[in-house]
Amino acid sequence: EILDVDYKSIVEKDSEGLECITFFVIVEAEDGEETVIREGDYCNIHVTSSYVFFTEYHSQDVYYFPKHNPENIKKFSPGVIENK
């Protein structure tokens, strides 16, 4: 089970200028170690009792994973409900 979800940012220069790379970090409850589960530029990190949701900054794609299994990242694609 996850104790906390956080992110760290590092700014590095690439061939075209500055690029901000955000490391999405999980802190394990048992030993306190930080584990990077996804590298990229992310925002809108939301934690519920069972899931963690986050948005890829440039594409606005939303991803999620269960708190008990952070390696199981999936794209969030809810169905559209039509009013009849």
Side-chain angles (χ1 to χ4, degrees):
E1 188 73 19
I2 295 171
L3 177 64
D4 191 20
V5 179
D6 201 359
Y7 65 92
K8 295 181 180 180
S9 297
I10 299 173
V11 177
E12 297 179 331
K13 288 187 178 184
D14 63 7
S15 61
E16 298 177 10
L18 289 177
E19 180 181 4
C20 181
I21 300 173
T22 301
F23 296 95
F24 195 72
V25 178
I26 298 301
V27 180
E28 300 294 336
E30 297 82 34
D31 53 16
E33 285 189 39
E34 295 180 342
T35 304
V36 177
I37 62 160
R38 190 89 179 229
E39 183 179 326
D41 197 358
Y42 301 103
C43 57
N44 299 326
I45 300 171
H46 298 282
V47 181
T48 69
S49 60
S50 301
Y51 294 94
V52 177
F53 295 84
F54 58 98
T55 304
E56 191 171 48
Y57 184 74
H58 299 287
S59 71
Q60 296 301 307
D61 289 337
V62 178
Y63 297 91
Y64 74 101
F65 61 86
K67 287 175 71 174
H68 67 277
N69 187 8
E71 292 82 21
N72 190 18
I73 299 172
K74 295 181 180 176
K75 189 172 180 179
F76 183 65
S77 301
V80 176
I81 299 174
E82 296 181 23
N83 292 333
K84 294 184 178 185

